[in-house]
């Protein structure tokens, strides 16, 4: 297997970091990114240590189109091309619609949705140049199940699901596969900042990384375009 070059947005912690680690373990060359270059470089160093692959860090705030272009250009400069883009960067700020701050609405749409557009637009010409590749969008079960307080998050992930399906149709004839991975609750501390040990029923970031590794092993003729993954035994609701 030829080592893949993969870019993962928002990979300084949580699901993105677990995906980056799993790909380095596979022997791939990986670009780790997050808003601060210093954090991305630190994580890249940490996950390169066990090998056999290699990671490098590039700062990228996905809300900023110029930084998304620089992320992809930087990857090409470091590793000679791009095969896989994982659009993972995301945030959740939860409040009822009339209590939601405008800046929280904007931040979620600009990160979870616009960021995917900016990074994908920058990456696709390079994937085409390699003869194909894969774009994996980390959506959410919140992309098809609404909840109170989730208006912005639901809107962003619902939008991302539609966008992923359209991208899949746009790009399949170019040899580029597009998949939307839709996790349920993952114990990363998403929204709160710290994983909670009492949430042992939740999925782990490594479970989602496993989905990505398994996806990349599919033969070229097969395209799993949407994957839902949920905790098998969540606490029962009253
Ligand atoms: N945890 C869950 O239950 C769950 C469930 C379904 C889907 N998801 C989705 O999975 C993805 C990852 O979530 P997670 O749980 O791993 O969250 P997390 O632990 O909070 O990590 C979020 C990552 O996104 C980065 N990030 C945030 N804003 C960014 C921006 N503007 N530009 C670039 N990077 C940015 C953060 O890096 P910096 O702070 O270094 O910038 C961090 O690396 C998100 O898209 C989320 O919606 C999560």
């Amino acid at each position: 297997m030829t080592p893949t070059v993969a870019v993962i947005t928002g990979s300084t912690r949580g699901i993105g970091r677990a995906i980056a680690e799993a790909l380095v373990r596979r022997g791939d060359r990986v670009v780790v990114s997050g808003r601060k270059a210093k954090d991305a470089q630190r994580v890249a160093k940490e996950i390169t240590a066990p090998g056999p692959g290699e990671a490098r860090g590039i700062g990228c705030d996905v809300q900023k189109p110029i930084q998304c272009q620089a992320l992809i250009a930087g990857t090409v400069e470091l590793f000679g091309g791009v095969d896989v883009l994982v659009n993972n960067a995301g945030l959740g700020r939860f409040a009822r619609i009339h209590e939601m701050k405008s800046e929280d609405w904007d931040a979620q749409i600009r990160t979870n949705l616009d960021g995917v557009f900016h990074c994908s637009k920058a990456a696709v010409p390079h994937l085409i140049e390699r003869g194909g590749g894969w774009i994996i969008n980390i959506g959410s079960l919140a992309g098809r199940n609404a909840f109170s307080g989730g208006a912005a998050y639901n809107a962003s992930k619902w939008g991302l699901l539609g966008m992923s399906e359209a991208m899949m149709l746009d790009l399949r004839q170019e040899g580029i596969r597009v998949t939307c991975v839709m996790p349920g609750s993952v114990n990363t501390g998403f929204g709160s900042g710290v994983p909670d040990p009492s949430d042992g029923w939740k999925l782990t970031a490594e479970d989602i990384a496993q989905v990505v590794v398994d996806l990349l092993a599919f033969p070229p003729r097969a395209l799993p375009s949407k994957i839902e993954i949920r905790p098998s035994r969540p606490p029962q609701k009253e």
Side-chain angles (χ1 to χ4, degrees):
M1 187 181 58
T2 327
T4 294
V5 177
V7 189
I8 303 151
T9 67
S11 40
T12 53
R13 60 177 185 273
I15 294 170
R17 178 181 170 136
I19 295 170
E21 280 182 297
L23 296 186
V24 167
R25 227 176 290 126
R26 240 175 54 121
D28 293 336
R29 291 177 294 168
V30 173
V31 168
V32 170
S33 68
R35 282 165 294 183
K36 291 192 185 136
K38 219 169 67 178
D39 290 341
Q41 286 155 4
R42 172 184 49 79
V43 171
K45 208 167 152 194
E46 286 167 11
I47 70 173
T48 294
E54 179 190 357
R56 305 287 284 273
I58 298 180
C60 172
D61 180 340
V62 299
Q63 293 191 21
K64 309 210 165 104
I66 286 181
Q67 293 191 20
C68 297
Q69 287 154 22
L71 171 67
I72 301 301
T75 303
V76 172
E77 205 176 303
L78 283 169
F79 292 135
V82 186
D83 303 300
V84 175
L85 167 66
V86 183
N87 286 306
N88 168 77
L91 79 158
R93 292 183 187 158
F94 307 110
R96 294 191 300 163
I97 190 72
H98 55 294
E99 291 161 343
M100 170 115 25
K101 292 185 194 142
S102 300
E103 56 267 33
D104 286 346
W105 173 275
D106 286 346
Q108 287 173 92
I109 301 298
R110 290 178 59 197
T111 306
N112 303 358
L113 200 50
D114 297 357
V116 176
F117 167 68
H118 301 315
C119 290
S120 302
K121 183 173 163 65
V124 165
H126 295 285
L127 297 178
I128 291 174
E129 209 175 298
R130 299 277 260 205
W134 214 313
I135 297 179
I136 299 171
N137 295 330
I138 306 298
S140 171
L141 289 181
R144 56 186 291 278
N145 301 289
F147 56 91
S148 173
Y153 190 67
N154 287 137
S156 69
K157 295 296 185 180
W158 226 287
L160 179 58
L161 178 59
M163 180 181 173
S164 296
E165 289 184 12
M167 285 170 66
M168 182 269 287
L169 297 170
D170 283 345
L171 298 173
R172 65 202 295 194
Q173 300 301 343
E174 307 283 356
I176 299 172
R177 289 178 278 182
V178 178
T179 303
C180 190
V181 176
M182 302 163 68
S185 297
V186 185
N187 192 4
T188 57
F190 183 69
S192 69
V194 253
D196 181 349
S198 67
D199 283 349
W201 56 271
K202 288 187 177 178
L203 295 161
T204 65
E206 290 69 30
D207 294 330
I208 311 307
Q210 183 67 50
V211 171
V212 171
V213 167
D214 290 351
L215 254 180
L216 296 178
F218 268 81
R221 68 177 169 272
L223 169 49
S225 49
K226 187 166 66 180
I227 298 175
E228 293 187 358
I229 172 166
R230 63 189 77 227
S232 48
R233 300 189 70 178
Q236 280 190 316
K237 291 197 175 115
E238 299 292 308

